[in-house]
């Protein structure tokens, strides 16, 4: 059986198994969930959404046939009142060579800071919601892959809106496209190698910048002397 169907091969030829899924979107929660506790809305929403994700996973994504307990899974969820997409979720990196054009980002509702809005008890609360579900390495690869595929089917606005609404028994709306991708395990020694390469590469670039700076300064001095 081809291992690549349960993971990915890196450019180094190493195999990296699929171990989880990460997603981000914006979510609007009914103000009725925070009546009398509006000043603690951020903490309440964080706890509520984490419990909701666990419950959805337990009853919809992780079938009993897999015989997996919560001890085999790690759930991470955090919310933010700044709505822009975190860098950790930006997958596309500029290619080597010509630098990307610095386009001025359009200011729209997707990048608002909702702190002031959320403090008003008469407003529904809006957050950036980021979560990831990571499976223990001991769970067979094909099982991890099946569950992750099952989760990804629901990682869209309509499905998540319905699931959160049902679990929280309140008006919930996922207001933006859900972005998601698989997480892959990296061997610890290999990770150290990559980190060392990144450090060396950064040091090399720094030295090059310093050389260029000195060259420009020397050129400037020479032109001043000659004049």
């Amino acid at each position: 059986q081809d291992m690549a169907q349960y993971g990915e091969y890196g450019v180094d030829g190493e195999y990296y198994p699929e171990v989880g899924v990460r997603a981000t979107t914006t979510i609007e929660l009914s103000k009725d969930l925070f009546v009398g506790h509006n000043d603690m809305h951020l903490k309440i929403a964080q706890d509520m959404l984490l419990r909701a994700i666990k419950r959805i996973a337990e009853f919809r994504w992780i079938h009993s046939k897999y015989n997996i307990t919560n001890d085999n899974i790690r759930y991470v969820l955090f919310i933010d009142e700044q709505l822009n997409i975190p860098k950790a979720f930006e997958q596309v990196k500029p290619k080597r060579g010509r630098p990307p054009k610095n386009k001025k980002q359009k200011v729209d509702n997707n990048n608002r800071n909702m702190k002031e809005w959320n403090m008003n008890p008469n407003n529904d609360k809006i957050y950036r919601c980021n979560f990831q579900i990571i499976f223990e390495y001991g769970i067979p690869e094909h099982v991890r892959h099946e569950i992750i595929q099952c989760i990804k089917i629901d990682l869209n606005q309509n499905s998540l809106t319905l699931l959160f609404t049902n679990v929280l028994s309140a008006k919930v709306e996922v207001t933006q496209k859900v972005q998601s991708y698989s997480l892959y395990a990296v061997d610890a020694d290999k990770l150290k190698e990559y980190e060392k390469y990144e450090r060396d590469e950064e040091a090399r670039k720094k030295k090059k910048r310093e050389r260029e700076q000195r060259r420009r300064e020397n050129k400037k001095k020479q032109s001043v002397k000659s004049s």
Side-chain angles (χ1 to χ4, degrees):
Q1 217 170 17
D2 182 15
M3 287 170 71
Q5 65 181 307
Y6 305 133
E8 279 194 358
Y9 285 98
V11 290
D12 54 1
E14 289 287 324
Y15 174 69
Y16 299 102
E18 190 178 32
V19 292
V21 64
R22 172 181 278 179
T24 185
T25 188
T26 51
I27 192 165
E28 186 172 335
L29 300 178
S30 170
K31 60 181 182 288
D32 298 338
L33 291 166
F34 309 98
V35 173
H37 303 284
N38 194 70
D39 55 335
M40 295 174 63
H41 69 86
L42 201 64
K43 186 182 185 315
I44 292 169
Q46 170 107 13
D47 293 345
M48 204 181 285
L49 288 169
L50 179 58
R51 282 202 297 270
I53 280 287
K54 287 181 179 179
R55 195 158 179 79
I56 292 165
E58 186 183 349
F59 290 101
R60 184 168 174 89
W61 299 329
I62 302 163
H63 302 298
S64 55
K65 67 177 181 180
Y66 297 126
N67 198 25
I68 295 171
T69 66
N70 273 335
D71 295 336
N72 305 124
I73 310 161
R74 192 166 84 231
Y75 298 91
V76 181
L77 182 142
F78 56 97
I79 58 173
D80 199 331
E81 290 177 291
Q82 182 66 48
L83 298 189
N84 55 298
I85 298 168
K87 279 194 162 65
F89 290 90
E90 291 175 4
Q91 290 175 268
V92 181
K93 293 183 179 177
K95 292 179 181 175
R96 286 181 180 271
R98 192 172 170 185
K101 288 179 183 176
N102 287 324
K103 289 184 181 176
K104 196 171 181 183
Q105 196 174 26
K106 290 178 183 174
V107 177
D108 57 31
N109 288 346
N110 293 334
N111 288 319
R112 287 179 299 172
N113 188 320
M114 304 307 299
K115 193 166 188 176
E116 195 177 324
W117 170 272
N118 287 343
M119 278 308 291
N120 186 334
N122 296 317
N123 292 337
D124 291 337
K125 312 305 172 199
I126 303 174
Y127 310 101
R128 162 68 52 183
C129 179
N130 311 300
F131 66 88
Q132 56 190 41
I133 302 171
I134 302 165
F135 297 93
E136 198 177 66
Y137 200 68
I139 296 170
E141 283 191 54
H142 73 280
V143 171
R144 290 199 304 260
H145 179 72
E146 273 181 34
I147 297 170
I148 290 164
Q149 291 307 109
C150 184
I151 294 169
K152 283 182 175 179
I153 290 168
D154 280 331
L155 293 183
N156 61 74
Q157 281 178 259
N158 290 340
S159 293
L160 280 186
T161 293
L162 286 170
L163 290 167
F164 277 125
T165 298
N166 288 339
V167 170
L168 295 174
S169 300
K171 190 186 81 172
V172 177
E173 188 182 352
V174 173
T175 57
Q176 199 183 75
K177 179 185 174 186
V178 183
Q179 295 190 39
S180 65
Y181 57 91
S182 293
L183 296 171
Y184 298 90
V186 179
D187 177 80
D189 292 332
K190 206 74 182 165
L191 185 60
K192 284 177 191 169
E193 259 182 64
Y194 291 145
E195 286 170 344
K196 184 179 182 300
Y197 170 78
E198 290 288 334
R199 286 196 301 273
D200 292 348
E201 188 72 0
E202 189 49 48
R204 185 186 67 76
K205 286 177 184 174
K206 188 181 176 185
K207 282 179 184 174
K208 187 179 178 183
R209 286 195 298 271
E210 286 169 351
R211 280 199 307 272
E212 287 293 317
Q213 180 70 21
R214 284 197 297 273
R215 188 183 65 79
R216 282 194 296 271
E217 285 171 0
N218 289 337
K219 197 173 179 182
K220 200 174 177 181
K221 284 176 188 174
Q222 285 170 2
S223 64
V224 169
K225 281 181 185 176
S226 60
S227 61

